[in-house]
Amino acid sequence: MPPPLLGGGPPPRRGLVTRTLIALNVLAMVLSILSDRGGDSMVGGSGLGGLLGGGTPLTEWGAVLSYASYVPFGEPHGVAAGEWYRLVTAMFLHYGLVHLLLNMWALWVLGRDLEALLGPLRFLGLYLVAGLGGNVAAYLFSDPNAASAGASTAIFGLFAAVFVIMRRLGRDTSAIVPILVINLIFTFTVPGISIPGHVGGLVTGAAMGWVLAYAPRMRRSVFQAAGTAVILVALLGLVIVRTAMLTG
């Protein structure tokens, strides 16, 4: 297998990171189901007539939640209460099997080719930073009591990165545009979908795609690492500002 076009050596196995990410999401779904004695993790929530499933104790623990104080004894919880881990765990949790299957199918389709193009480490960085960016956007712009979770923040980032990278390589992007449009239509019309999360993942993925695709050849790794660091610092700054607004 030829080496990735945008840096790094040849991946040891095609789609290894993609398969690992899918396995982690599936494992999180199994744990979510086991934590739910009422069965709402399968079906019975909001969105697509309930097919997206409801919340479980695990999603309540790990979903993006800005700030809530309606738990017993009035103890506040959420990202603003110090639970920053939610910005990461939320990208591995899903509301029901349909929600999981839709995202894992998209990850399987997009992930293998992107991983082969970028190399395992750069692809993993793209996925995680895009997912984080989407969750930060959900934290910034969602109602403080509204919870959101799902790999779709990272998936939208992959869509945007594919478009940016294909343009950089001079390849045809006509196939990706209709898919993006359809997904955005669903985002803005289907109840229960986090609009800030999807759009935030899209924007962050586009930024990461630009950093990875337009890095100068002679100092590619340095440019890509520095660009990723800038994006992460910007996201951290936004979280700090939002936290100060909610708790100040």
Side-chain angles (χ1 to χ4, degrees), residues 95-220:
Y95 294 113
L97 293 177
V98 173
H99 189 197
L100 173 72
L101 291 174
L102 288 173
N103 281 333
M104 293 306 98
W105 174 80
L107 176 55
W108 178 251
V109 171
L110 292 170
R112 291 171 299 162
D113 290 336
L114 262 177
E115 185 178 344
L117 190 65
L118 297 172
L121 290 179
R122 286 170 174 79
F123 170 71
L124 180 61
L126 165 64
Y127 184 91
L128 294 177
V129 174
L132 177 65
N135 288 337
V136 168
Y139 177 51
L140 293 175
F141 300 110
S142 298
D143 183 89
N145 289 332
S148 64
S152 49
T153 54
I155 299 300
F156 267 76
L158 297 186
F159 274 120
V162 167
F163 179 82
V164 173
I165 292 170
M166 292 299 101
R167 289 293 299 269
R168 175 67 177 91
L169 297 176
R171 299 183 182 179
D172 183 23
T173 59
S174 60
I176 195 70
V177 173
I179 299 175
L180 264 175
V181 171
I182 291 172
N183 276 277
L184 285 172
I185 290 174
F186 271 96
T187 295
F188 284 94
T189 57
V190 175
I193 291 180
S194 173
I195 295 175
H198 285 191
V199 175
L202 189 74
V203 172
T204 309
M208 279 294 296
W210 186 90
V211 167
L212 295 171
Y214 287 87
R217 183 181 299 272
M218 296 300 296
R219 306 178 69 89
R220 174 177 289 157

Side-chain angles (χ1 to χ4, degrees), residues 65-71 74-81 83 86 143-147 246:
L65 180 72
S66 295
Y67 193 77
S69 58
Y70 52 78
V71 294
E75 290 293 332
H77 65 298
V79 178
E83 297 171 349
R86 291 174 177 271
D143 183 89
N145 289 332
L246 290 172

Side-chain angles (χ1 to χ4, degrees), residues 2 9 12 29 39 52 59 66 71 87 131 181 185 215 230:
M29 186 74 247
L52 293 186
T59 58
S66 295
V71 294
L87 298 172
V181 171
I185 290 174
V230 168

Side-chain angles (χ1 to χ4, degrees), residues 20-118:
T20 301
L21 288 170
I22 291 174
L24 289 174
N25 279 275
V26 171
L27 175 61
M29 186 74 247
V30 171
L31 294 175
S32 185
I33 292 172
L34 292 176
S35 75
D36 179 31
R37 298 181 180 180
D40 287 342
S41 61
M42 305 292 284
V43 295
S46 62
L48 293 180
L51 290 179
L52 293 186
T56 71
L58 189 60
T59 58
E60 290 176 6
W61 168 83
V64 175
L65 180 72
S66 295
Y67 193 77
S69 58
Y70 52 78
V71 294
F73 310 111
E75 290 293 332
H77 65 298
V79 178
E83 297 171 349
W84 284 40
Y85 67 86
R86 291 174 177 271
L87 298 172
V88 177
T89 55
M91 72 178 84
F92 295 98
L93 297 172
H94 291 83
Y95 294 113
L97 293 177
V98 173
H99 189 197
L100 173 72
L101 291 174
L102 288 173
N103 281 333
M104 293 306 98
W105 174 80
L107 176 55
W108 178 251
V109 171
L110 292 170
R112 291 171 299 162
D113 290 336
L114 262 177
E115 185 178 344
L117 190 65
L118 297 172

